[in-house]
Amino acid sequence: MDYFTTTSKASNKAIDCVIVGVYDRGKLGAGAADIDSASGGAIRRHIKSGDISSELGRCFVLTDVAGIRSPRVAVVGLGKVGALDLGKFRRALSAALDAISRSKTRGILNCLTLEDVSGTDSYYLARHTAQAVGESLYRFTEMKSGRQTPPMPLKKVGIAVAKRGDAAKSMRGAEHGDAIASGISLAKDLGNLPPNVCTPSYLARTAQKLARNHMNLHTRVLNETEMKRLGMHSLLSVTAGTKEPARLIVMQYKGKTGQKPVVLVGKGVTFDSGGISLKPGPAMDEMKFDMCGAATVIGTMLAVAKLRLPINVNVVVPAVENLPSGKATKPGDIVRSMSGQTIEILNTDAEGRLILCDALTYSRRFKPDAIIDVATLTGACVVALGHHRTAVMSNNDDLSQSVVAAGISADDRGWPMPLGDEWALQLKSNFADMANVGGRDGGAITAGCFLGKFTDGMNWAHLDIAGTAWKSGKQKGATGRPVPMLTEFLLARCGALP
Ligand code: BES
Ligand code: MN
Ligand code: ZN
């Protein structure tokens, strides 16, 4: 997508569509006021007639308005004056893009400015513009046969700025937003693909393809024999029941010499049936999304590589399928993890932690400055936080705070949850060093504590994205979260934010 900034007025820009907004009680945003006066009151007339609504998420498109150079004016509802935050801004913009999505619009100019959106700056406004554009254009039609209605041929997106001085910051925001949108799209694609296509090998091939297309990015893929040699018996116990071979995907991006990397570890269970501790039937298809941790760390890597950030980032993805069979791991089996600690597997459905613990141990070789794992780890996390916040657990308060802060700036929010010996004690086993489950109570936290037994001495944070990685119901699909949060964290860490 091509982005540009302009100080020209909404009424005066020759472009396929301009986007302006109206608030409750007939208050017009700056762009709408300009259109209204240049057109002799077209906007107010349509408010009166009820065509234009101030309700957030509604949009009415005026065409060929006298006195306006653009053939389309998309008028979106912005709700209450002063209440438009970045999330609502993205929704308003999406409403406009939806409204013109069947048209032949090739260029748009967004005339919602800092005057309209509260508590932000020109960098973030442009970044969220680009993100909204990317998300609105996203389609997943790969698996549908027959002709699909093509998406609108949008090529140019303009961002109205109040003064010339804002242009550079806006352009940087748009560039970052565009890269984040690519990362989100890739993560969504991987998540949405069916589990018979998106296998561990498919994830590995995707990572290898990214490395071919980007400078400074290398991918190495380990097979089961290599993992066995490393002693990853915990990871391998999860893949025992399936014919689909497991993979350990290791990506390394080098943007700076002589600096310890940030390591991102993503849970890559391409289908989680529960194994011998079989899950109930309803909605089991959604367990194809159990690789969204992997998808989002790979998506974040794409954003980093596209922006050529001056930072070192490694991605480690343990990728497996969790199925029952005559060869599958049984409740009661005890395995030795790569760390040497033994694990009694009381429930084969608590498999995420079994692959992550070996991936975390493997990651020690990189001497990470910080290590963050991302996983659709527990149903208990969904009970605790619903679908609105990613759970953030950490053994380091500074790290936890910067991750949570990144989520706020990126409008992809997390919420801190505790770790502690009280919960860790629930993992006691009579037969091994630990059990892989700690009972129902505090299930998201005991899962975090399990991983904490493998991160001693590292600055580590754990993101449980079980509630945020995908949507169910009519809008079923991957969300791409937390690509924005993770990318923001890395942008802040390497000083790339204005
Ligand atoms: N992938 C699931 C977690 C999950 C379930 C995420 C539903 C989103 C929606 C994970 O592997 C799992 O099955 N966890 C178990 C753990 C339990 C056996 C301790 C769970 O949450 O039920
Ligand atoms: Mn499971
Ligand atoms: Zn799982």
Side-chain angles (χ1 to χ4, degrees):
M1 192 62 63
D2 275 340
Y3 288 90
F4 67 92
T5 61
T6 176
T7 51
S8 67
K9 286 184 171 176
S11 58
N12 205 24
K13 186 76 188 170
I15 194 152
D16 293 343
C17 181
V18 295
I19 299 170
V20 301
V22 299
Y23 296 96
D24 288 352
R25 300 198 186 150
K27 168 136 170 46
L28 306 184
D34 166 52
I35 297 276
D36 195 58
S37 64
S39 65
I43 300 233
R44 287 197 192 284
R45 270 202 305 282
H46 280 93
I47 292 176
K48 241 191 205 132
S49 68
D51 295 327
I52 290 175
S53 159
S54 64
E55 197 183 313
L56 190 69
R58 294 262 295 230
C59 178
F60 188 74
V61 184
L62 307 173
T63 51
D64 300 320
V65 184
I68 309 301
R69 287 184 76 186
S70 167
R72 294 181 194 83
V73 180
V75 189
V76 293
L78 302 179
K80 259 180 37 196
V81 178
L84 196 71
D85 57 20
L86 282 169
K88 290 179 180 158
F89 165 71
R90 285 204 311 276
R91 258 176 69 198
L93 210 52
S94 301
L97 291 162
D98 277 354
I100 57 173
S101 66
R102 281 163 188 277
S103 73
K104 298 266 180 323
T105 298
R106 295 173 160 278
I108 59 170
L109 173 63
N110 166 44
C111 298
L112 308 178
T113 63
L114 284 177
E115 260 179 69
D116 298 300
V117 190
S118 52
T120 187
D121 62 16
S122 50
Y123 166 79
Y124 282 105
L125 193 70
R127 196 169 113 183
H128 284 266
T129 303
Q131 223 179 288
V133 167
E135 297 222 41
S136 289
L137 295 182
Y138 179 81
R139 297 283 182 282
F140 184 77
T141 52
E142 238 166 282
M143 295 292 143
K144 304 243 193 204
S145 62
R147 250 192 59 205
Q148 301 302 312
T149 40
M152 94 179 116
L154 191 64
K155 291 280 156 339
K156 270 172 109 62
V157 175
I159 296 164
V161 292
K163 44 188 196 318
R164 272 274 130 241
D166 287 342
K169 264 170 102 182
S170 284
M171 281 309 287
R172 173 126 63 123
E175 188 199 355
H176 290 182
D178 198 44
I180 292 169
S182 306
I184 292 174
S185 293
L186 174 59
K188 282 183 178 176
D189 277 347
L190 292 172
N192 290 335
L193 280 168
N196 59 332
V197 173
C198 186
T199 57
S201 316
Y202 185 93
L203 286 177
R205 285 197 300 275
T206 304
Q208 283 165 327
K209 200 161 112 197
L210 285 187
R212 278 198 296 279
N213 292 339
H214 293 275
M215 276 210 334
N216 306 339
L217 184 59
H218 294 276
T219 296
R220 197 179 151 216
V221 178
L222 279 67
N223 61 26
E224 289 179 14
T225 314
E226 292 164 299
M227 289 190 260
K228 199 176 258 167
R229 231 177 273 139
L230 286 164
M232 298 183 147
H233 305 294
S234 180
L235 185 157
L236 291 167
S237 75
V238 178
T239 199
T242 180
K243 293 202 164 134
E244 205 57 64
R247 295 285 183 257
L248 187 77
I249 305 162
V250 184
M251 305 173 80
Q252 290 186 271
Y253 169 83
K254 268 202 167 324
K256 198 162 181 174
T257 43
Q259 187 197 51
K260 290 178 177 173
V262 173
V263 179
L264 304 176
V265 179
K267 173 178 173 183
V269 177
T270 59
F271 188 75
D272 180 13
S273 71
I276 296 296
S277 312
L278 193 64
K279 285 183 181 296
M284 204 205 270
D285 67 289
E286 295 190 9
M287 281 299 117
K288 72 171 182 175
F289 294 118
D290 211 20
M291 35 55 70
C292 282
T296 52
V297 297
I298 294 172
T300 301
M301 191 56 124
L302 172 60
V304 167
K306 277 197 148 188
L307 294 173
R308 301 188 182 193
L309 294 186
I311 190 172
N312 296 331
V313 182
N314 293 359
V315 154
V316 178
V317 168
V320 302
E321 193 177 67
N322 185 21
L323 289 187
S325 85
K327 289 239 162 82
T329 296
K330 304 168 290 298
D333 284 1
I334 293 178
V335 294
R336 185 182 299 278
S337 67
M338 184 180 174
S339 73
Q341 299 176 93
T342 57
I343 304 164
E344 184 186 17
I345 300 174
L346 291 177
N347 189 322
T348 64
D349 197 11
E351 85 297 340
R353 61 198 80 182
L354 295 175
I355 63 172
L356 288 168
C357 69
D358 280 343
L360 288 165
T361 302
Y362 178 86
S363 301
R364 283 185 186 278
R365 66 185 57 208
F366 302 123
K367 304 200 168 21
D369 201 23
I371 182 162
I372 304 177
D373 76 77
V374 187
T376 50
L377 203 60
T378 63
C381 182
V382 190
V383 175
L385 296 180
H387 300 283
H388 310 294
R389 298 275 193 285
T390 292
V392 181
M393 290 162 244
S394 179
N395 59 8
N396 180 301
D397 284 342
D398 286 339
L399 178 60
S400 172
Q401 272 162 31
S402 31
V403 169
V404 171
I408 293 170
S409 307
D411 193 33
D412 173 16
R413 291 179 66 171
W415 196 257
M417 300 244 278
L419 294 172
D421 293 341
E422 306 94 304
W423 292 277
L425 281 174
Q426 291 176 227
L427 295 166
K428 261 188 172 311
S429 157
N430 285 356
F431 306 109
D433 295 341
M434 69 192 85
N436 77 327
V437 291
R440 242 171 49 106
D441 302 340
I445 300 171
T446 53
C449 289
F450 180 96
L451 298 178
K453 291 178 181 290
F454 299 85
T455 58
D456 266 354
M458 298 195 283
N459 284 330
W460 159 72
H462 159 58
L463 304 183
D464 194 332
I465 59 167
T468 51
W470 76 89
K471 290 184 176 155
S472 311
K474 256 189 95 156
Q475 297 200 65
K476 194 192 285 184
T479 61
R481 292 178 70 181
V483 170
M485 177 202 278
L486 290 170
T487 312
E488 171 80 19
F489 172 82
L490 297 169
L491 285 167
R493 204 160 173 104
C494 70
L497 296 174

